């Protein structure tokens, strides 16, 4: 069996497994919808120019997309790796031609497809409910794909180093929730303490948010990096992090447990 056939078979099995878990399907798409309804349609932008949602609706599009780009791979890959460890499935995997890298790649393909569908749904809802102004750029697809790969790698590491499936889910939520609000998504740098602002640059999600905003939001004031267009520069940084995260994620998956 070729490498492509092995990856395709594993991806097909994972996709079927996802569809059978109706609760997982529901909440994968339900959580970002609730976020948009609450913050985008009910809270809305503060007309005084102050407060948490003081920017125009288009500014927060990267934040809404970040909910699925961040939460979905962290929770799904973390719990999936932990579930395989608890069932000694990696020990069985070691006896097959499918390598750990191929297994993680197949999982990443499925997660990217799920995130892509959820992102499209989010964009439709944001435009319909908030009236956000945005420019549709091909780079948006690249950001969703690269961001998915990046956090799939981190999710694999979480599942490999936590002691149980519940622990992996708890760890993913503990990490994802602060990152969601402290990565220049919903909270601007001006709203953060001066001493904390430089730490925002340590989050991979920051480069996702900045890049998506530079590519899609007409009023973005994202600075260039080393003279490179910010939409391209932030994508390159995120891609570099994604390569490293995926490599470490694949390496961290145990052959046996």
């Amino acid at each position: 069996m070729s490498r492509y056939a092995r990856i395709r078979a594993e991806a097909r099995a994972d996709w079927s497994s996802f569809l059978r878990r109706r609760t997982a399907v529901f909440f994968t798409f339900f959580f970002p919808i609730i976020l948009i309804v609450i913050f985008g349609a009910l809270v809305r932008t503060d007309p005084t120019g102050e407060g948490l949602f003081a920017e125009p609706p288009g500014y927060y599009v990267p934040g809404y997309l970040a909910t699925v780009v961040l939460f979905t791979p962290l929770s799904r890959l973390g719990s999936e790796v932990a579930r395989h460890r608890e069932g000694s499935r990696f020990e069985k995997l070691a006896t097959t031609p499918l390598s750990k890298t191929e297994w993680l790649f197949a999982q990443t393909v499925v997660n990217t497809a799920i995130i892509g569908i959820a992102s499209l749904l989010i964009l439709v809802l944001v435009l319909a409910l908030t009236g956000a102004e945005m420019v549709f750029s091909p780079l948006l697809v690249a950001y969703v794909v690269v961001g998915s790969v990046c956090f799939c790698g981190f999710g694999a590491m979480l599942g490999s180093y936590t002691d149980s499936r519940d622990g992996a889910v708890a760890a993913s939520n503990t990490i994802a929730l602060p990152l969601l609000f402290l990565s220049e998504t919903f909270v601007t740098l001006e709203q953060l303490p001066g001493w904390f602002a430089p730490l925002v640059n340590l989050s991979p999600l920051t480069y996702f948010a900045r890049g998506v905003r530079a590519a899609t939001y007409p009023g973005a004031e994202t600075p260039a990096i080393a003279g490179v267009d910010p939409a391209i520069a932030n994508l390159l940084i995120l891609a570099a992090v994604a390569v490293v995260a995926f490599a470490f994620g694949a390496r961290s998956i145990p052959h046996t447990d």
Side-chain angles (χ1 to χ4, degrees):
M1 180 181 285
S2 66
R3 175 175 298 177
Y4 171 76
R6 293 194 299 269
I7 293 174
R8 183 181 61 181
E10 179 62 30
R12 183 178 298 174
D14 186 52
W15 177 257
S16 298
S17 176
F18 170 71
L19 294 180
R20 285 196 299 268
R21 300 172 191 169
R22 296 182 180 180
T23 303
V25 173
F26 177 77
F27 281 103
T28 295
F29 300 105
F30 181 73
F31 177 70
I33 291 174
I34 286 295
L35 202 67
I36 294 170
V37 171
I38 293 176
F39 293 121
L42 299 181
V43 176
R44 291 184 178 273
T45 299
D46 186 347
T48 64
E50 299 179 354
L52 181 60
F53 284 84
E55 301 292 335
Y59 179 90
Y60 300 105
V61 170
Y64 296 129
L65 293 176
T67 58
V68 290
V69 171
L70 175 65
F71 276 89
T72 300
L74 282 186
S75 61
R76 288 200 76 245
L77 253 300
S79 62
E80 192 71 9
V81 171
R83 185 167 69 93
H84 275 59
R85 289 175 56 205
E86 291 175 351
S88 300
R89 298 189 181 187
F90 287 121
E91 185 172 350
K92 299 174 183 176
L93 179 66
T95 64
T96 70
L98 188 70
S99 68
K100 296 188 297 181
T101 301
E102 292 169 348
W103 181 88
L104 181 57
F105 186 84
Q107 297 288 325
T108 301
V109 169
V110 173
N111 276 274
T112 302
I114 294 170
I115 292 168
I117 296 171
S119 297
L120 182 59
L121 176 62
I122 286 172
L123 289 177
V124 171
L125 287 176
V126 167
L127 294 177
L129 297 179
T130 71
E133 294 183 5
M134 63 174 294
V135 176
F136 289 95
S137 168
L139 289 176
L140 182 58
V141 177
Y143 270 102
V144 170
V145 172
V146 174
S148 301
V149 174
C150 178
F151 291 107
C152 279
F154 284 112
M157 284 186 274
L158 280 179
S160 299
Y161 298 127
T162 49
D163 58 359
S164 67
R165 188 176 180 183
D166 290 339
V169 173
S172 67
N173 291 333
T174 300
I175 294 172
L177 192 58
L179 285 182
L180 181 62
F181 290 95
L182 300 177
S183 300
E184 225 172 313
T185 48
F186 296 105
V187 180
T188 64
L189 286 178
E190 292 74 18
Q191 293 172 309
L192 295 173
W195 62 268
F196 186 84
L199 299 179
V200 171
N201 294 323
L202 299 178
S203 168
L205 195 64
T206 297
Y207 302 101
F208 174 86
R210 288 174 179 171
V212 171
R213 189 169 292 121
T216 63
Y217 178 51
E221 298 180 353
T222 310
I225 301 176
V228 180
D229 182 276
I232 300 295
N234 284 282
L235 180 60
L236 293 176
I237 295 173
L238 184 64
V241 177
V243 170
V244 175
F246 185 89
F248 274 95
R251 184 179 178 83
S252 66
I253 295 174
H255 278 298
T256 59
D257 194 44

